[in-house]
């Protein structure tokens, strides 16, 4: 397996970076460009920006701030937020993003995945999947649409593992699984859930939701065999710096990029 990646996540609303707990009660944590520059200097392998209210508000992410970020970064970054067609994706990539991520628009129209992969290549197409609590004894989990705005969030009516297999078959290049119940709690990643997703797909898998300690990163790489671990609040607060995290992972025998 290639070296594991560390990804810093920046949730964007009204032009600033915000962070909540379980996708609710968001508070402002900083400026988009300032935080992006900080994480790049600390050694993040990638950044991902989620315009969390774009899909619920039926709009696409604004390319203007993407251009500002692109002028400052020399590492790859991915952008998500209401991208519903090839033209909108093209505008985001033209503004400087390296990848585009889709979530609710893909649930609404799965054909979009293939359209984007055909136009830009699978390597540019990331599928975000927001997952809520287990629903029954069979181990099914709820896939949630429009999760960035609590009053618009709803069950997408999709079986998680079935959806994972479908997005792979339609040409996606990577999957990010966001565990809503772990989000912002810093109690650890949903390793059991992620391990089941890992067994269901050959695509690169990114873990999201729950990082609080360096041990949590070690655990998710070892137990769930994910390709990358994404975190937000623990990086925003400075409780874990990426330039301290990476040497600690190497000391545990986990290969990461310098």
């Amino acid at each position: 397996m290639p070296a594991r990646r560390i990804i810093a996540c920046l949730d964007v609303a009204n032009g600033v970076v915000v962070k909540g707990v379980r996708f609710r009660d968001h508070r402002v944590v900083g400026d988009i460009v300032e935080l992006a520059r900080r994480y790049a200097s600390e050694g993040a392998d990638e950044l991902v920006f989620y315009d969390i209210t774009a899909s619920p508000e039926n709009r696409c992410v604004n390319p203007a701030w993407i251009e500002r970020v692109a002028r400052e970064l020399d590492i790859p970054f991915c952008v998500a937020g209401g991208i519903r067609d090839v033209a909108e994706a093209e505008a985001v990539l033209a503004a400087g993003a390296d990848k585009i991520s889709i979530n609710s628009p893909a649930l609404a129209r799965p054909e979009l995945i293939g359209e984007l992969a055909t136009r830009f290549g699978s390597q540019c197409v990331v599928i975000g999947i927001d997952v809520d609590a287990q629903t029954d004894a069979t181990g099914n989990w709820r896939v949630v649409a429009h999760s960035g705005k609590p009053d618009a969030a709803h069950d997408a009516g999709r079986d998680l593992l079935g959806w994972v297999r479908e997005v792979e078959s339609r040409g996606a290049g990577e999957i990010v699984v966001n565990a809503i119940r772990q989000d912002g709690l810093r109690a650890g990643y949903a390793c059991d859930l992620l391990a089941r997703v890992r067994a269901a797909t050959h695509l690169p898998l990114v873990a999201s939701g729950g990082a609080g300690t360096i041990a949590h990163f070690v655990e998710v790489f070892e137990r769930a065999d994910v390709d990358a671990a994404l975190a937000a609040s623990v990086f925003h607060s400075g409780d874990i710096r990426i330039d301290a995290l990476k040497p600690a992972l190497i000391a545990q025998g986990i290969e990461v990029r310098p």
Side-chain angles (χ1 to χ4, degrees), residues 160-237:
L160 169 61
L161 299 184
W163 181 232
V164 166
R165 295 184 185 101
E166 180 175 345
V167 302
E168 180 172 7
S169 71
R170 288 183 178 275
E174 183 170 87
I175 295 174
V176 180
V177 174
N178 307 299
I180 294 174
R181 294 300 173 103
Q182 271 73 28
D183 178 71
L185 298 182
R186 303 193 190 186
Y189 291 97
C191 291
D192 292 342
L193 166 63
L194 290 160
R196 294 186 63 185
V197 175
R198 173 73 290 161
T201 180
H202 298 292
L203 289 179
L205 174 61
V206 181
S208 174
T213 67
I214 288 173
H216 292 151
F217 288 88
V218 174
E219 180 185 37
V220 77
F221 285 128
E222 292 183 342
R223 286 187 53 200
D225 196 28
V226 297
D227 298 87
L230 177 155
S233 61
V234 75
F235 292 156
H236 296 335
S237 67

Side-chain angles (χ1 to χ4, degrees), residues 87 95 243:
D243 50 11

Side-chain angles (χ1 to χ4, degrees), residues 65-76:
W65 63 258
I66 300 172
E67 292 175 353
R68 290 171 51 216
V69 168
R71 287 194 292 268
E72 297 288 335
L73 291 184
D74 58 1
I75 62 172

